[in-house]
Each structure stands twice: as C-alpha cells, then as structure tokens.
C-alpha cells in the first residue's frame, strides 16, 4: 500500500537520490549530452538547494513509499504566479516516480494528496507545466480536471522547449 509522508530536512538524501534517478530515467532523452544533464541535476538537486527548500514554509515535499522504500515524490509550491500571468495558486513543480513504480496508479494517489494539501492551504487553483511533447502526462492531468491555460517556453542549454501551463480550479473540490 502506498504511504505518503511530508519530507523534512532529514529526508534530504532520499529526495536528492530520487530526484536524480527519476529525472534521469524520464527526461534524459531531452538532453543532448550527459554532461549537461548531470550539471543541471547537480544544481537542481544540490544539498544546499534542497535544504533551503525543505525549510521553507511555502514549499512542501511529499514522498511516496511502498513498504518503507521511497519510490517517488512531489514538490508543491504555494502562492506562486502562473507564467505570464498575475494569477496565483499552488504550483505542482515536480511529481516523479521511479520507472518501476509508474503505471500502477501511484501518481493518481500522490496528485490527490497534492490537491488536498493545496486546498488545506487555501489555494484557489493548482497549476503545473507539462512538456508539449509529453502527451501521456497531458492526458493524465486532463483526466484529473486540469485544463490548458497557456503555453510557455523553457529556455535551456539544448534549445527551447515548449510547455503547456495547465490549471485545476480547486474551488469545487
């Protein structure tokens, strides 16, 4: 059975390793060379960055466990502006699972927990960004009540990537 716990500073090494492993497994093909992805991951999941994030009151890390083994996580940032917009809400910045744990309904459970957490923190909407090429993720979020709000561009070392900004109104949940 899936167990979800809020991450703390004591979970830093778990989140760091999960972040690197899951990101690399799911997104390595978006990078032209291994050196650049490793550089990005060292920055995004650095101990300093994670420690700062884990101590912030407006950011929550949720860690998913099966039989006390961490298999995935989500990062929710509260009161964040949507890209190119003044509207604010909770941002689901990350939701990743190890490849061996995908397709088992765990993402649905973790997303539901992020939605509950956002409502509990008086957020009127939950938003996220999805690569326009990730049709499977887009379809998943649409099934969960998210709609495409706008499009944005992520500028990266390997060129620009187009993203959908998707939102879910939480006032009816």
């Amino acid at each position: 059975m899936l167990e979800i716990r809020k991450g703390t500073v004591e979970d830093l090494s778990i989140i760091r390793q999960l972040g690197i492993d899951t990101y690399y497994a799911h997104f390595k093909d978006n990078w032209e060379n291994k050196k650049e992805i490793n550089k990005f991951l060292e920055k995004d999941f650095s101990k300093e960055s994670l420690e700062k994030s884990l101590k912030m009151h407006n950011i929550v890390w949720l860690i998913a466990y099966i039989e006390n083994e961490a298999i995935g996580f989500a990062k929710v940032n509260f009161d964040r502006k949507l890209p190119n917009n003044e509207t604010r809400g909770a941002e689901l910045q990350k939701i990743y699972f190890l490849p061996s744990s995908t397709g088992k309904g765990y993402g649905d459970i973790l997303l539901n927990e992020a939605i509950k957490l956002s409502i509990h923190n008086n957020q009127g909407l939950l938003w996220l960004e999805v690569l326009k090429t990730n049709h499977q993720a887009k379809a998943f979020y649409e099934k969960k009540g998210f709609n495409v709000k706008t499009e944005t561009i992520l500028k990266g070392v390997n060129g620009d990537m187009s993203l959908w900004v998707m939102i879910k109104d939480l006032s009816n949940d």
Side-chain angles (χ1 to χ4, degrees):
M1 184 169 147
L2 190 71
E3 179 185 357
I4 300 171
R5 301 180 208 154
K6 284 187 182 179
T8 67
V9 174
E10 288 76 30
D11 298 309
L12 190 149
S13 61
I14 292 168
I15 294 170
R16 177 175 160 71
Q17 194 59 57
L18 264 178
I20 292 169
D21 291 349
T22 57
Y23 188 92
Y24 196 81
H26 295 290
F27 299 107
K28 70 178 179 281
D29 293 339
N30 294 335
W31 295 79
E32 288 181 16
N33 70 56
K34 192 174 180 176
K35 183 179 176 185
E36 290 300 325
I37 191 173
N38 289 339
K39 186 176 167 183
F40 167 78
L41 290 171
E42 277 303 314
K43 181 180 175 199
D44 203 45
F45 292 101
S46 72
K47 290 178 182 176
E48 297 78 19
S49 173
L50 287 173
E51 184 173 2
K52 181 180 175 185
S53 174
L54 284 160
K55 289 180 177 179
M56 295 181 77
H57 72 280
N58 61 337
I59 297 174
V60 175
W61 290 83
L62 299 171
I63 308 171
Y65 293 86
I66 292 287
E67 298 177 7
N68 287 319
E69 182 181 338
I71 60 161
F73 67 91
K75 179 182 180 188
V76 182
N77 305 308
F78 300 117
D79 199 34
R80 293 289 172 99
K81 277 199 272 186
L82 275 77
N84 310 316
N85 194 311
E86 292 301 311
T87 304
R88 291 182 171 273
E91 173 194 19
L92 180 61
Q93 185 181 0
K94 301 177 187 304
I95 185 167
Y96 301 147
F97 282 90
L98 294 170
S100 60
S101 299
T102 59
K104 297 181 179 181
Y106 300 147
D108 196 49
I109 296 167
L110 188 55
L111 178 59
N112 287 339
E113 195 64 29
I115 290 168
K116 284 187 226 170
L117 186 65
S118 298
I119 292 168
H120 179 75
N121 283 276
N122 301 312
Q123 302 293 294
L125 61 90
L126 181 62
W127 67 275
L128 53 89
E129 294 175 319
V130 175
L131 285 170
K132 283 180 74 174
T133 56
N134 193 343
H135 304 290
Q136 185 176 2
K138 182 176 178 268
F140 169 76
Y141 291 118
E142 286 175 333
K143 278 190 221 172
K144 296 297 289 180
F146 285 80
N147 297 300
V148 173
K149 170 78 173 170
T150 189
E151 182 180 332
T152 189
I153 303 293
L154 175 65
K155 301 221 178 261
V157 294
N158 295 318
D160 297 348
M161 290 188 273
S162 296
L163 304 167
W164 290 121
V165 177
M166 301 183 76
I167 63 169
K168 177 177 176 62
D169 182 350
L170 300 177
S171 61
N172 298 324
D173 283 333

